[in-house]
Every structure is written in C-alpha cells, then in structure tokens.
Amino acid sequence: MTRKIVIAGNWKMNTTLEEGLQLATSIRNKTEKTTDLDIILCPPFTHLHPVSQCLENSAIQLGGQTLHMQEKGAYTGDISGTMLRQVGCAHVLIGHSEQRQYHQETNHSVREKYIAALKASLIPIVCVGESQEERESGQTFTVLETQLREGFQGIENQIQASCIIAYEPVWAIGTGLVATPQQAQEAHAFIRQTLKSITPYANEIRLLYGGSIKPDNFSQIIQQEDIDGGLIGGASLT
Ligand code: PGA
C-alpha cells in the first residue's frame, strides 16, 4: 500500500500577518515543483483568508487549528467548520494536545468535532498521544486505544480513507525531545492495528508523527513503515 506523504505545518499562535504571508510565499516558491507530497499549512484563524489568497493556484492546502462542534450560534470566540471551509480550508486539526490541555478538549468533543468537520466537507486531522507520565507508567497503548475508540465511538462508519491521524506524544511537543524512530513506529503500528478493528480503511489512512520534528531527525522517522508524514510545529515556522 503506497500512501502519499503528508507534511503539515502547525503554526500555532505564531507569526504576524506579514510574517505569515512571507512564510507561505516562501514555502510556495520552494515547493512549486513538488508533486510527491501533500503540503498543508495551519496558520492562525486571522491569517487563513489572506494566506489562502497567497496560495491560490498552488497545490498547498490550508487547515484550521480547531473548529467548534456546532455550525453556528452563540459561541463567542469560536469558529465553525463552514467558516473554515469558506476561507479556503480543506483540513482541520482536531484534538491537538494543546486544545486538550488548555481548552478542555476531550475524546467526546473530538468525536463531535469530527462529525462537524465532515459536515463542512473538511478532512479531519485527529491528534492523539500520551503524556510523559503515561508513557513512564506503561500506559501508552491504553491511552492511544482509548483516544481512538472514544473519539470514533458510534461513528466508525464515518471514518474515511482520506482522514488523517497524527500521533503526537505530549512529552515530545515543543520540548526538543523527539521519539526515537522505533518508539514512533511502535506507536504508529499500534494505532494502525487498532484502526483495523474499527474501520476497513486502516491501511489507507495516513498516520503522521508530530513532536519536535527537525530537518535532522525527520529523515529517519519518515522511513518507518507506518509513518506517512509529519505534523510540524516550531520547525514549520522556518
Ligand atoms: P513541535 O509541535 O514540532 O513544535 O513539537 C508539533 C505540534 O504540536 O503539532
């Protein structure tokens, strides 16, 4: 099974609008002839529309960093899937560990947001991953399995081959600690195995590694059998 590699840049709450446009332009120029990768940029909400204009007629795709589970209504400060779609997004991150940590994202809300993303014709990038404490106490697989099973509970038949899952061990995000290629492959293989028991598309779904990816550690990680790309935070800004 060949799965096209995905490189997704998660800008988080970084860049001024001007810096964001410069970054998008430079990525666009440098990847003009690249056809063997799917490139996705996830800038802050306020940059989405201008960045989408800057990426017009390029193959680079745009993603939101989260969305609200409702389509519209009295949810001050939130953004719906339809709104993301209207400003040019094709993707949306769901369940990023920073949303889980700072915005009370749970496996249940991941599930609701997954449904909302599909309704808005967005491709969900669902993030899972264990904390350092969970890894050290040998709970990595249990945590991953629970995140996947609860996240997709009752909506297994809505899992599509195009949906993307990112394995991001929380202890590796923004810390400079990166999973070894073996640790990453082991978790990815487990995720794919678990997916096999919930969807017929387990072999088609692309699994991304995320957590302190840098140019010098990525080449080994991407060679692993079950790793189909990267979700890159800090290093995607340069
Ligand atoms: P990092 O972030 O590459 O800065 O560790 C990854 C992410 O949070 O998506």
Side-chain angles (χ1 to χ4, degrees), residues 10 12 96 98 168 172-174 211-213 231-234:
N10 175 10
K12 309 192 180 186
H96 189 281
E98 285 149 15
E168 298 205 307
I173 297 178
S212 296
I213 290 178
L231 178 54
I232 308 172

Side-chain angles (χ1 to χ4, degrees), residues 42-146:
C42 304
F45 289 141
T46 49
H47 299 14
L48 284 169
H49 188 52
V51 168
S52 95
Q53 288 177 317
C54 156
L55 297 178
E56 227 169 72
N57 300 320
S58 85
I60 300 174
Q61 299 167 54
L62 211 56
Q65 295 180 11
T66 184
L67 80 168
H68 194 269
M69 51 186 83
Q70 299 297 331
E71 226 172 295
K72 60 180 179 179
Y75 302 101
T76 303
D78 284 310
I79 300 281
S80 75
T82 316
M83 291 168 180
L84 292 177
R85 187 74 209 166
Q86 279 178 345
V87 290
C89 288
H91 296 79
V92 63
L93 298 176
I94 300 178
H96 189 281
S97 72
E98 285 149 15
Q99 283 287 322
R100 291 181 191 260
Q101 187 180 350
Y102 305 123
H103 292 277
Q104 294 81 45
E105 188 90 282
T106 62
N107 297 334
H108 176 74
S109 64
V110 164
R111 179 184 176 281
E112 300 302 307
K113 289 183 177 189
Y114 182 92
I115 298 170
L118 293 190
K119 260 197 201 151
S121 303
L122 293 168
I123 298 174
I125 305 177
V126 177
C127 304
V128 295
E130 81 288 359
S131 67
Q132 178 145 28
E133 204 183 351
E134 289 162 343
R135 175 161 282 268
E136 282 167 3
S137 61
Q139 289 177 279
T140 299
F141 290 167
T142 316
V143 169
L144 295 177
E145 180 160 9
T146 306

